Amino acid sequence: MPVQGAHIPALGFGTYGMNGPHLRNVLVAALGHGFRHIDTAQMYGNEAEVGAAIRDAGVSRSEIFITTKVWVANYGAAQFAPSVDQSLRKLKTDYIDLLLVHWPRGGAPIAAQIEGLNRAVEQGKARHIGVSNYNAEMLRTAVKMSPRHLVTNQVEYHPFLDQTALLRQIAASDASLMAYCGMAVGRVFGSEILRDIAAKHERSVAQVVLRWLIQQPRVVALSRTEKIERIAGNAAVFDFALSEAEMAAITALRAPDSRIVDPGHLAPAWD
Ligand SMILES: NC(=O)c1ccc[n+]([C@@H]2O[C@H](COP(=O)([O-])OP(=O)(O)OC[C@H]3O[C@@H](n4cnc5c(N)ncnc54)[C@H](OP(=O)(O)O)[C@@H]3O)[C@@H](O)[C@H]2O)c1
């Protein structure tokens, strides 16, 4: 997806909660099945395995889009750049495709976060920058402050969570929404509507949800699985399309109180 000069692959592979040799094997399989975007974070403690897997897979670095996130404890002026250097060393690369700040609260103010991100681009350590878990107002403020374009806001998004307000601000900011928790920690698999649509297309519910995400303007989807046998299916979401009625039926699954990831000390007042 082209966003202000950044070509963000519309489907990324999420690595939260995975590490060690298993993550290496899973990522080699994901790269083998065509994933070209890997999402990691300083907080996940697995950047070294991500770097190792990219080398194991034998895919050229220039073909892979790496997103990583600076942890809140590293937002201070003295910690930000050294933490990015450490990410680069662990990832065994000399640039990060997309550098995000992980949460808006719990570290330094937004101005310091935006300053650190911009410095990373100036110093050639990051190609593109963005934020994660910002609400619409924070995104508006950050975009105004940032000399360089903020290309994404990575947030929770699935059929049960209404992100209309944030998507409106994302369009106004010419950014993208990078969706995490697409499977709503498994809740999607219990939906009869999703199961019916999946059966009609002879696809899995996971494929239908990923397709619903990437078929929306400005939405990038992250997919995570620890099971190698599920990777090929999760990657195969570019060879079918949902009808307008199916898109609308999935969007209509939205319901109040559907947010899953909400750590009080880090999260904003959500839209
Ligand atoms: N910025 C942030 O604060 C933040 C927060 C949360 C997540 N993230 C990022 O977003 C990524 C994705 O989010 P997520 O971890 O919640 O992933 P997700 O894709 O929403 O859900 C993963 C869950 O779905 C299951 N699953 C995946 N494919 C399946 C399939 N084909 N059939 C049945 N079950 C399937 C997985 O189980 P199995 O492993 O057993 O297949 C796992 O339990 C994370 O890995 C991370 O990189 C970012």
Side-chain angles (χ1 to χ4, degrees), residues 12-18 38-41 43-44 46 69 71 100-103 131-133 154-158 178-186 188-189 204-207 210 221-231 233-234 260-261 263:
F13 196 85
T15 63
Y16 176 71
M18 286 190 270
I38 300 174
D39 179 76
T40 179
M43 194 273 275
Y44 302 169
N46 61 15
K69 312 177 200 84
W71 184 240
L100 310 181
V101 281
H102 208 140
W103 287 92
V131 298
S132 180
N133 296 302
Q154 186 183 116
V155 293
E156 178 177 337
Y157 189 29
H158 46 72
M178 191 177 287
Y180 70 70
C181 268
M183 300 304 127
V185 290
V188 295
F189 303 109
S204 69
V205 166
Q207 286 173 311
L210 292 171
L222 296 178
S223 163
R224 179 179 72 89
T225 179
E226 301 198 12
K227 302 201 168 64
I228 285 176
E229 63 275 17
R230 288 179 171 164
I231 294 173
N234 290 1
I260 297 158
V261 182

Short mmCIF file of all heavy atoms in Angstrom, two decimals, residues 12-18 38-41 43-44 46 69 71 100-103 131-133 154-158 178-186 188-189 204-207 210 221-231 233-234 260-261 263, ligand 1:
data_model
loop_
_atom_site.label_atom_id
_atom_site.label_comp_id
_atom_site.label_asym_id
_atom_site.label_seq_id
_atom_site.Cartn_x
_atom_site.Cartn_y
_atom_site.Cartn_z
N GLY A 12 1.12 -8.21 6.89
CA GLY A 12 2.37 -8.38 7.64
C GLY A 12 2.27 -9.59 8.54
O GLY A 12 1.16 -10.02 8.90
N PHE A 13 3.42 -10.13 8.93
CA PHE A 13 3.42 -11.28 9.84
C PHE A 13 3.76 -10.79 11.25
O PHE A 13 4.82 -10.21 11.48
CB PHE A 13 4.44 -12.33 9.37
CG PHE A 13 4.22 -13.67 10.02
CD1 PHE A 13 3.30 -14.56 9.47
CD2 PHE A 13 4.86 -14.00 11.19
CE1 PHE A 13 3.05 -15.78 10.09
CE2 PHE A 13 4.62 -15.23 11.82
CZ PHE A 13 3.71 -16.11 11.26
N GLY A 14 2.88 -11.02 12.20
CA GLY A 14 3.07 -10.59 13.58
C GLY A 14 3.87 -11.61 14.38
O GLY A 14 3.72 -12.82 14.17
N THR A 15 4.70 -11.11 15.28
CA THR A 15 5.61 -12.03 16.01
C THR A 15 5.43 -11.96 17.53
O THR A 15 6.21 -12.56 18.26
CB THR A 15 7.07 -11.69 15.68
OG1 THR A 15 7.36 -10.35 16.13
CG2 THR A 15 7.35 -11.80 14.19
N TYR A 16 4.41 -11.25 17.99
CA TYR A 16 4.23 -11.09 19.44
C TYR A 16 4.14 -12.46 20.15
O TYR A 16 3.43 -13.35 19.69
CB TYR A 16 2.96 -10.28 19.73
CG TYR A 16 2.67 -10.16 21.19
CD1 TYR A 16 3.47 -9.38 22.01
CD2 TYR A 16 1.62 -10.87 21.77
CE1 TYR A 16 3.23 -9.28 23.37
CE2 TYR A 16 1.36 -10.77 23.13
CZ TYR A 16 2.17 -9.98 23.93
OH TYR A 16 1.93 -9.90 25.27
N GLY A 17 4.88 -12.58 21.26
CA GLY A 17 4.77 -13.80 22.06
C GLY A 17 5.55 -14.99 21.53
O GLY A 17 5.46 -16.09 22.08
N MET A 18 6.30 -14.78 20.45
CA MET A 18 7.08 -15.90 19.91
C MET A 18 8.56 -15.55 19.97
O MET A 18 8.93 -14.40 19.80
CB MET A 18 6.71 -16.17 18.44
CG MET A 18 5.37 -16.84 18.27
SD MET A 18 5.14 -17.37 16.54
CE MET A 18 4.37 -15.94 15.86
N ILE A 38 7.38 -8.04 8.18
CA ILE A 38 7.45 -8.66 9.50
C ILE A 38 7.31 -7.56 10.56
O ILE A 38 7.97 -6.53 10.48
CB ILE A 38 8.79 -9.40 9.70
CG1 ILE A 38 8.94 -10.50 8.64
CG2 ILE A 38 8.88 -9.99 11.11
CD1 ILE A 38 10.29 -11.19 8.66
N ASP A 39 6.42 -7.81 11.52
CA ASP A 39 6.19 -6.86 12.61
C ASP A 39 6.82 -7.39 13.89
O ASP A 39 6.51 -8.49 14.34
CB ASP A 39 4.68 -6.67 12.83
CG ASP A 39 4.40 -5.70 13.96
OD1 ASP A 39 4.55 -4.49 13.74
OD2 ASP A 39 4.07 -6.15 15.07
N THR A 40 7.73 -6.58 14.47
CA THR A 40 8.32 -6.95 15.74
C THR A 40 8.32 -5.72 16.64
O THR A 40 7.68 -4.71 16.32
CB THR A 40 9.74 -7.55 15.53
OG1 THR A 40 10.31 -7.89 16.80
CG2 THR A 40 10.68 -6.62 14.81
N ALA A 41 9.01 -5.80 17.79
CA ALA A 41 9.05 -4.66 18.72
C ALA A 41 10.17 -4.91 19.71
O ALA A 41 10.49 -6.07 20.01
CB ALA A 41 7.72 -4.53 19.46
N MET A 43 9.93 -4.53 22.77
CA MET A 43 9.32 -5.19 23.92
C MET A 43 9.11 -6.69 23.72
O MET A 43 9.03 -7.44 24.69
CB MET A 43 7.98 -4.49 24.20
CG MET A 43 7.36 -4.80 25.53
SD MET A 43 6.38 -6.27 25.40
CE MET A 43 4.84 -5.64 24.81
N TYR A 44 9.01 -7.16 22.49
CA TYR A 44 8.77 -8.59 22.25
C TYR A 44 10.01 -9.42 22.55
O TYR A 44 9.92 -10.65 22.68
CB TYR A 44 8.32 -8.86 20.80
CG TYR A 44 7.07 -8.16 20.34
CD1 TYR A 44 6.70 -8.16 19.00
CD2 TYR A 44 6.23 -7.50 21.24
CE1 TYR A 44 5.56 -7.51 18.55
CE2 TYR A 44 5.09 -6.83 20.80
CZ TYR A 44 4.76 -6.84 19.47
OH TYR A 44 3.63 -6.20 19.03
N ASN A 46 12.36 -10.28 20.60
CA ASN A 46 12.63 -11.29 19.57
C ASN A 46 13.24 -10.70 18.29
O ASN A 46 13.24 -11.36 17.25
CB ASN A 46 11.34 -12.07 19.23
CG ASN A 46 10.24 -11.18 18.67
OD1 ASN A 46 10.50 -10.05 18.27
ND2 ASN A 46 9.03 -11.69 18.65
N LYS A 69 9.16 -1.42 16.96
CA LYS A 69 8.57 -0.36 17.80
C LYS A 69 9.48 -0.06 18.98
O LYS A 69 9.97 -0.99 19.65
CB LYS A 69 7.20 -0.81 18.33
CG LYS A 69 6.29 -1.39 17.28
CD LYS A 69 4.98 -1.90 17.84
CE LYS A 69 4.33 -2.88 16.88
NZ LYS A 69 4.83 -4.27 17.01
N TRP A 71 10.14 0.90 22.67
CA TRP A 71 9.37 0.71 23.90
C TRP A 71 9.30 2.01 24.70
O TRP A 71 10.20 2.86 24.62
CB TRP A 71 9.96 -0.43 24.74
CG TRP A 71 9.12 -0.70 25.96
CD1 TRP A 71 9.50 -0.62 27.26
CD2 TRP A 71 7.73 -1.07 25.96
NE1 TRP A 71 8.43 -0.91 28.08
CE2 TRP A 71 7.33 -1.18 27.31
CE3 TRP A 71 6.78 -1.29 24.95
CZ2 TRP A 71 6.01 -1.51 27.68
CZ3 TRP A 71 5.46 -1.61 25.33
CH2 TRP A 71 5.10 -1.73 26.68
N LEU A 100 8.10 2.62 14.78
CA LEU A 100 6.93 3.15 15.49
C LEU A 100 7.26 3.40 16.95
O LEU A 100 8.19 2.79 17.50
CB LEU A 100 5.77 2.14 15.44
CG LEU A 100 5.38 1.53 14.09
CD1 LEU A 100 4.19 0.58 14.26
CD2 LEU A 100 5.04 2.62 13.09
N VAL A 101 6.48 4.25 17.59
CA VAL A 101 6.49 4.31 19.05
C VAL A 101 5.33 3.43 19.51
O VAL A 101 4.24 3.49 18.95
CB VAL A 101 6.39 5.76 19.57
CG1 VAL A 101 7.74 6.45 19.46
CG2 VAL A 101 5.32 6.58 18.85
N HIS A 102 5.57 2.59 20.53
CA HIS A 102 4.66 1.47 20.83
C HIS A 102 3.33 1.90 21.47
O HIS A 102 2.27 1.36 21.15
CB HIS A 102 5.40 0.47 21.73
CG HIS A 102 4.93 -0.93 21.60
ND1 HIS A 102 5.77 -2.01 21.60
CD2 HIS A 102 3.68 -1.46 21.45
CE1 HIS A 102 5.06 -3.12 21.46
NE2 HIS A 102 3.79 -2.82 21.37
N TRP A 103 3.40 2.82 22.43
CA TRP A 103 2.18 3.31 23.11
C TRP A 103 2.35 4.81 23.38
O TRP A 103 3.47 5.25 23.61
CB TRP A 103 1.96 2.58 24.46
CG TRP A 103 1.51 1.17 24.31
CD1 TRP A 103 2.29 0.06 24.25
CD2 TRP A 103 0.16 0.71 24.20
NE1 TRP A 103 1.51 -1.06 24.11
CE2 TRP A 103 0.19 -0.69 24.08
CE3 TRP A 103 -1.09 1.35 24.20
CZ2 TRP A 103 -0.96 -1.47 23.95
CZ3 TRP A 103 -2.24 0.57 24.08
CH2 TRP A 103 -2.17 -0.83 23.95
N VAL A 131 3.21 5.63 14.41
CA VAL A 131 2.87 5.50 15.83
C VAL A 131 2.03 4.24 16.03
O VAL A 131 1.64 3.58 15.06
CB VAL A 131 2.10 6.76 16.31
CG1 VAL A 131 2.97 8.01 16.18
CG2 VAL A 131 0.79 6.94 15.54
N SER A 132 1.79 3.92 17.28
CA SER A 132 0.93 2.77 17.58
C SER A 132 0.07 3.11 18.79
O SER A 132 0.54 3.78 19.73
CB SER A 132 1.80 1.54 17.87
OG SER A 132 0.99 0.42 18.16
N ASN A 133 -1.16 2.70 18.74
CA ASN A 133 -2.10 2.87 19.85
C ASN A 133 -2.38 4.34 20.17
O ASN A 133 -2.64 4.69 21.32
CB ASN A 133 -1.60 2.12 21.09
CG ASN A 133 -1.54 0.63 20.87
OD1 ASN A 133 -2.56 0.01 20.55
ND2 ASN A 133 -0.36 0.04 21.02
N GLN A 154 -0.59 1.90 14.23
CA GLN A 154 -0.88 0.47 14.42
C GLN A 154 -1.79 0.32 15.64
O GLN A 154 -1.41 0.69 16.75
CB GLN A 154 0.42 -0.32 14.63
CG GLN A 154 0.16 -1.81 14.68
CD GLN A 154 1.40 -2.66 14.95
OE1 GLN A 154 1.49 -3.33 15.98
NE2 GLN A 154 2.33 -2.64 14.03
N VAL A 155 -2.98 -0.22 15.40
CA VAL A 155 -3.98 -0.32 16.47
C VAL A 155 -4.77 -1.63 16.35
O VAL A 155 -4.75 -2.29 15.31
CB VAL A 155 -4.99 0.86 16.41
CG1 VAL A 155 -4.34 2.18 16.74
CG2 VAL A 155 -5.69 0.92 15.06
N GLU A 156 -5.48 -1.94 17.42
CA GLU A 156 -6.40 -3.10 17.37
C GLU A 156 -7.53 -2.81 16.38
O GLU A 156 -8.10 -1.72 16.37
CB GLU A 156 -6.98 -3.30 18.78
CG GLU A 156 -7.99 -4.43 18.88
CD GLU A 156 -8.48 -4.64 20.31
OE1 GLU A 156 -7.77 -4.25 21.28
OE2 GLU A 156 -9.58 -5.19 20.46
N TYR A 157 -7.83 -3.80 15.56
CA TYR A 157 -8.96 -3.64 14.62
C TYR A 157 -9.43 -5.02 14.19
O TYR A 157 -8.64 -5.83 13.71
CB TYR A 157 -8.52 -2.83 13.40
CG TYR A 157 -9.67 -2.41 12.47
CD1 TYR A 157 -10.96 -2.20 12.95
CD2 TYR A 157 -9.44 -2.21 11.11
CE1 TYR A 157 -11.99 -1.81 12.10
CE2 TYR A 157 -10.48 -1.81 10.25
CZ TYR A 157 -11.75 -1.62 10.76
OH TYR A 157 -12.78 -1.24 9.93
N HIS A 158 -10.69 -5.29 14.41
CA HIS A 158 -11.30 -6.56 14.00
C HIS A 158 -12.79 -6.32 13.78
O HIS A 158 -13.28 -5.22 14.06
CB HIS A 158 -11.04 -7.65 15.06
CG HIS A 158 -11.30 -7.21 16.46
ND1 HIS A 158 -12.56 -6.99 16.95
CD2 HIS A 158 -10.45 -6.89 17.47
CE1 HIS A 158 -12.48 -6.58 18.21
NE2 HIS A 158 -11.20 -6.50 18.55
N MET A 178 -2.68 0.14 10.65
CA MET A 178 -2.10 -1.22 10.64
C MET A 178 -2.81 -2.01 11.74
O MET A 178 -2.68 -1.68 12.92
CB MET A 178 -0.59 -1.14 10.87
CG MET A 178 0.12 -2.45 10.61
SD MET A 178 1.91 -2.29 10.81
CE MET A 178 2.34 -1.38 9.34
N ALA A 179 -3.58 -3.00 11.32
CA ALA A 179 -4.49 -3.67 12.25
C ALA A 179 -3.84 -4.84 12.98
O ALA A 179 -3.32 -5.75 12.35
CB ALA A 179 -5.69 -4.19 11.46
N TYR A 180 -3.92 -4.81 14.30
CA TYR A 180 -3.51 -5.99 15.07
C TYR A 180 -4.73 -6.62 15.73
O TYR A 180 -5.79 -6.00 15.81
CB TYR A 180 -2.38 -5.68 16.06
CG TYR A 180 -2.70 -4.82 17.28
CD1 TYR A 180 -3.48 -5.28 18.33
CD2 TYR A 180 -2.14 -3.56 17.41
CE1 TYR A 180 -3.71 -4.52 19.46
CE2 TYR A 180 -2.36 -2.79 18.53
CZ TYR A 180 -3.16 -3.27 19.56
OH TYR A 180 -3.39 -2.50 20.67
N CYS A 181 -4.58 -7.86 16.18
CA CYS A 181 -5.67 -8.61 16.82
C CYS A 181 -6.85 -8.81 15.87
O CYS A 181 -8.02 -8.80 16.29
CB CYS A 181 -6.18 -7.90 18.07
SG CYS A 181 -5.36 -8.45 19.55
N GLY A 182 -6.56 -8.99 14.59
CA GLY A 182 -7.62 -9.19 13.61
C GLY A 182 -8.54 -10.35 13.99
O GLY A 182 -9.75 -10.32 13.70
N MET A 183 -7.97 -11.37 14.62
CA MET A 183 -8.79 -12.56 14.97
C MET A 183 -9.54 -12.37 16.29
O MET A 183 -10.24 -13.28 16.74
CB MET A 183 -7.91 -13.82 15.04
CG MET A 183 -7.18 -14.16 13.76
SD MET A 183 -8.27 -14.34 12.34
CE MET A 183 -7.50 -13.21 11.18
N ALA A 184 -9.37 -11.18 16.90
CA ALA A 184 -10.08 -10.87 18.16
C ALA A 184 -9.92 -12.00 19.17
O ALA A 184 -10.91 -12.46 19.75
CB ALA A 184 -11.55 -10.56 17.88
N VAL A 185 -8.67 -12.40 19.36
CA VAL A 185 -8.31 -13.55 20.22
C VAL A 185 -9.28 -14.74 20.05
O VAL A 185 -9.70 -15.36 21.04
CB VAL A 185 -8.11 -13.17 21.72
CG1 VAL A 185 -6.86 -12.34 21.93
CG2 VAL A 185 -9.33 -12.46 22.32
N GLY A 186 -9.60 -15.02 18.82
CA GLY A 186 -10.38 -16.23 18.51
C GLY A 186 -11.87 -16.01 18.41
O GLY A 186 -12.60 -16.89 17.94
N VAL A 188 -13.57 -14.33 16.38
CA VAL A 188 -14.10 -14.37 14.99
C VAL A 188 -14.54 -15.79 14.60
O VAL A 188 -15.47 -15.95 13.80
CB VAL A 188 -13.06 -13.86 13.95
CG1 VAL A 188 -12.76 -12.38 14.15
CG2 VAL A 188 -11.79 -14.68 13.95
N PHE A 189 -13.89 -16.79 15.18
CA PHE A 189 -14.18 -18.17 14.74
C PHE A 189 -15.56 -18.63 15.20
O PHE A 189 -16.08 -19.64 14.72
CB PHE A 189 -13.08 -19.13 15.20
CG PHE A 189 -11.72 -18.69 14.68
CD1 PHE A 189 -10.75 -18.17 15.54
CD2 PHE A 189 -11.43 -18.76 13.34
CE1 PHE A 189 -9.53 -17.74 15.06
CE2 PHE A 189 -10.20 -18.33 12.84
CZ PHE A 189 -9.25 -17.82 13.70
N SER A 204 -11.12 -20.03 4.70
CA SER A 204 -11.23 -20.12 6.16
C SER A 204 -11.75 -18.79 6.70
O SER A 204 -11.67 -17.74 6.02
CB SER A 204 -9.86 -20.42 6.76
OG SER A 204 -9.00 -19.31 6.63
N VAL A 205 -12.24 -18.81 7.93
CA VAL A 205 -12.69 -17.57 8.58
C VAL A 205 -11.50 -16.61 8.70
O VAL A 205 -11.64 -15.40 8.49
CB VAL A 205 -13.32 -17.88 9.96
CG1 VAL A 205 -13.47 -16.62 10.80
CG2 VAL A 205 -14.67 -18.57 9.78
N ALA A 206 -10.32 -17.13 9.01
CA ALA A 206 -9.13 -16.26 9.13
C ALA A 206 -8.89 -15.53 7.81
O ALA A 206 -8.63 -14.32 7.79
CB ALA A 206 -7.91 -17.09 9.52
N GLN A 207 -9.00 -16.24 6.69
CA GLN A 207 -8.78 -15.60 5.39
C GLN A 207 -9.82 -14.52 5.13
O GLN A 207 -9.49 -13.45 4.60
CB GLN A 207 -8.84 -16.64 4.26
CG GLN A 207 -7.60 -17.54 4.21
CD GLN A 207 -7.80 -18.65 3.19
OE1 GLN A 207 -8.81 -19.34 3.19
NE2 GLN A 207 -6.81 -18.85 2.35
N LEU A 210 -8.96 -11.45 7.26
CA LEU A 210 -7.79 -10.74 6.72
C LEU A 210 -8.18 -10.01 5.43
O LEU A 210 -7.77 -8.87 5.19
CB LEU A 210 -6.62 -11.71 6.47
CG LEU A 210 -6.00 -12.30 7.74
CD1 LEU A 210 -5.00 -13.41 7.38
CD2 LEU A 210 -5.31 -11.21 8.57
N ALA A 221 -3.05 -5.32 7.29
CA ALA A 221 -3.39 -6.33 8.30
C ALA A 221 -2.14 -7.06 8.79
O ALA A 221 -1.26 -7.39 7.99
CB ALA A 221 -4.36 -7.34 7.70
N LEU A 222 -2.10 -7.31 10.09
CA LEU A 222 -1.06 -8.19 10.63
C LEU A 222 -1.70 -9.53 10.93
O LEU A 222 -2.82 -9.58 11.44
CB LEU A 222 -0.45 -7.60 11.91
CG LEU A 222 0.29 -6.28 11.74
CD1 LEU A 222 0.80 -5.77 13.10
CD2 LEU A 222 1.47 -6.43 10.77
N SER A 223 -0.98 -10.59 10.61
CA SER A 223 -1.49 -11.93 10.87
C SER A 223 -0.43 -12.66 11.68
O SER A 223 0.75 -12.58 11.39
CB SER A 223 -1.70 -12.63 9.53
OG SER A 223 -1.81 -14.02 9.71
N ARG A 224 -0.88 -13.35 12.72
CA ARG A 224 0.09 -14.11 13.52
C ARG A 224 -0.41 -15.53 13.69
O ARG A 224 -1.60 -15.74 13.95
CB ARG A 224 0.23 -13.48 14.91
CG ARG A 224 1.20 -14.22 15.83
CD ARG A 224 1.28 -13.54 17.16
NE ARG A 224 0.07 -13.71 17.95
CZ ARG A 224 -0.14 -14.72 18.79
NH1 ARG A 224 0.77 -15.65 18.97
NH2 ARG A 224 -1.27 -14.81 19.45
N THR A 225 0.46 -16.48 13.49
CA THR A 225 0.15 -17.86 13.86
C THR A 225 1.43 -18.54 14.30
O THR A 225 2.50 -18.26 13.77
CB THR A 225 -0.52 -18.65 12.72
OG1 THR A 225 -0.77 -19.99 13.19
CG2 THR A 225 0.32 -18.73 11.47
N GLU A 226 1.31 -19.39 15.29
CA GLU A 226 2.47 -20.18 15.72
C GLU A 226 2.51 -21.49 14.97
O GLU A 226 3.43 -22.27 15.11
CB GLU A 226 2.38 -20.44 17.23
CG GLU A 226 2.34 -19.15 18.00
CD GLU A 226 2.67 -19.29 19.48
OE1 GLU A 226 3.15 -20.37 19.88
OE2 GLU A 226 2.43 -18.31 20.21
N LYS A 227 1.45 -21.74 14.18
CA LYS A 227 1.32 -23.05 13.51
C LYS A 227 1.71 -22.93 12.03
O LYS A 227 1.00 -22.30 11.25
CB LYS A 227 -0.11 -23.56 13.64
CG LYS A 227 -0.52 -23.68 15.10
CD LYS A 227 -1.66 -24.62 15.34
CE LYS A 227 -1.82 -24.93 16.81
NZ LYS A 227 -2.18 -23.75 17.64
N ILE A 228 2.82 -23.59 11.70
CA ILE A 228 3.36 -23.47 10.35
C ILE A 228 2.32 -23.88 9.30
O ILE A 228 2.23 -23.27 8.24
CB ILE A 228 4.68 -24.29 10.25
CG1 ILE A 228 5.77 -23.49 10.99
CG2 ILE A 228 5.09 -24.55 8.79
CD1 ILE A 228 7.12 -24.14 11.10
N GLU A 229 1.48 -24.87 9.65
CA GLU A 229 0.50 -25.35 8.65
C GLU A 229 -0.58 -24.30 8.34
O GLU A 229 -1.31 -24.44 7.36
CB GLU A 229 -0.12 -26.68 9.10
CG GLU A 229 -0.92 -26.64 10.39
CD GLU A 229 -0.08 -26.81 11.67
OE1 GLU A 229 1.16 -26.64 11.63
OE2 GLU A 229 -0.68 -27.11 12.73
N ARG A 230 -0.70 -23.26 9.17
CA ARG A 230 -1.72 -22.22 8.90
C ARG A 230 -1.17 -21.06 8.06
O ARG A 230 -1.94 -20.20 7.60
CB ARG A 230 -2.24 -21.65 10.23
CG ARG A 230 -3.12 -22.64 10.95
CD ARG A 230 -3.62 -22.09 12.27
NE ARG A 230 -4.62 -22.98 12.83
CZ ARG A 230 -5.02 -22.93 14.09
NH1 ARG A 230 -4.51 -22.04 14.92
NH2 ARG A 230 -5.93 -23.78 14.52
N ILE A 231 0.16 -21.01 7.87
CA ILE A 231 0.77 -19.82 7.24
C ILE A 231 0.35 -19.66 5.79
O ILE A 231 -0.02 -18.56 5.35
CB ILE A 231 2.31 -19.87 7.38
CG1 ILE A 231 2.68 -19.75 8.86
CG2 ILE A 231 2.97 -18.76 6.55
CD1 ILE A 231 4.15 -19.96 9.16
N GLY A 233 -2.29 -20.60 4.18
CA GLY A 233 -3.68 -20.13 4.06
C GLY A 233 -3.79 -18.65 4.41
O GLY A 233 -4.43 -17.87 3.70
N ASN A 234 -3.15 -18.26 5.52
CA ASN A 234 -3.25 -16.87 5.94
C ASN A 234 -2.62 -15.93 4.91
O ASN A 234 -2.99 -14.76 4.82
CB ASN A 234 -2.59 -16.67 7.31
CG ASN A 234 -3.39 -17.32 8.43
OD1 ASN A 234 -4.42 -17.94 8.20
ND2 ASN A 234 -2.91 -17.18 9.66
N ILE A 260 -9.94 -5.39 23.20
CA ILE A 260 -9.26 -6.47 23.92
C ILE A 260 -8.00 -5.95 24.61
O ILE A 260 -7.77 -6.21 25.78
CB ILE A 260 -8.91 -7.61 22.93
CG1 ILE A 260 -10.18 -8.21 22.35
CG2 ILE A 260 -8.08 -8.69 23.64
CD1 ILE A 260 -9.97 -8.94 21.02
N VAL A 261 -7.16 -5.22 23.87
CA VAL A 261 -5.85 -4.79 24.40
C VAL A 261 -6.01 -3.38 24.97
O VAL A 261 -6.19 -2.42 24.22
CB VAL A 261 -4.78 -4.82 23.28
CG1 VAL A 261 -3.42 -4.43 23.83
CG2 VAL A 261 -4.72 -6.20 22.62
N PRO A 263 -4.09 -1.74 28.15
CA PRO A 263 -3.31 -1.57 29.39
C PRO A 263 -3.45 -0.14 29.92
O PRO A 263 -3.07 0.82 29.24
CB PRO A 263 -1.87 -1.85 28.93
CG PRO A 263 -1.86 -1.62 27.46
CD PRO A 263 -3.26 -1.82 26.95
N1 LIG B 1 1.12 -2.47 18.71
C1 LIG B 1 0.61 -3.22 19.67
O1 LIG B 1 0.41 -2.77 20.80
C2 LIG B 1 0.24 -4.64 19.35
C3 LIG B 1 -0.61 -5.35 20.22
C4 LIG B 1 -0.96 -6.66 19.89
C5 LIG B 1 -0.45 -7.23 18.72
N2 LIG B 1 0.42 -6.51 17.89
C6 LIG B 1 1.01 -7.10 16.65
O2 LIG B 1 0.00 -7.63 15.86
C7 LIG B 1 0.29 -9.01 15.59
C8 LIG B 1 -1.00 -9.74 15.34
O3 LIG B 1 -1.88 -9.65 16.47
P1 LIG B 1 -2.33 -10.94 17.25
O4 LIG B 1 -1.10 -11.53 17.82
O5 LIG B 1 -3.46 -10.67 18.16
O6 LIG B 1 -2.77 -11.84 16.02
P2 LIG B 1 -4.15 -12.27 15.37
O7 LIG B 1 -3.77 -12.56 13.98
O8 LIG B 1 -5.28 -11.39 15.63
O9 LIG B 1 -4.51 -13.58 16.18
C9 LIG B 1 -3.64 -14.56 16.41
C10 LIG B 1 -4.50 -15.71 16.94
O10 LIG B 1 -5.28 -16.24 15.87
C11 LIG B 1 -4.98 -17.62 15.69
N3 LIG B 1 -4.96 -17.90 14.25
C12 LIG B 1 -4.20 -17.32 13.30
N4 LIG B 1 -4.46 -17.85 12.08
C13 LIG B 1 -5.41 -18.80 12.27
C14 LIG B 1 -6.10 -19.69 11.41
N5 LIG B 1 -5.86 -19.70 10.11
N6 LIG B 1 -6.99 -20.53 11.96
C15 LIG B 1 -7.25 -20.52 13.28
N7 LIG B 1 -6.64 -19.70 14.16
C16 LIG B 1 -5.72 -18.84 13.66
C17 LIG B 1 -3.62 -17.82 16.33
O11 LIG B 1 -3.52 -19.12 16.86
P3 LIG B 1 -2.31 -20.11 16.44
O12 LIG B 1 -1.04 -19.40 16.75
O13 LIG B 1 -2.57 -21.29 17.30
O14 LIG B 1 -2.50 -20.36 14.96
C18 LIG B 1 -3.62 -16.79 17.46
O15 LIG B 1 -4.23 -17.32 18.61
C19 LIG B 1 1.13 -9.43 16.80
O16 LIG B 1 1.83 -10.61 16.61
C20 LIG B 1 2.00 -8.23 16.93
O17 LIG B 1 3.05 -8.27 15.98
C21 LIG B 1 0.73 -5.24 18.21
#
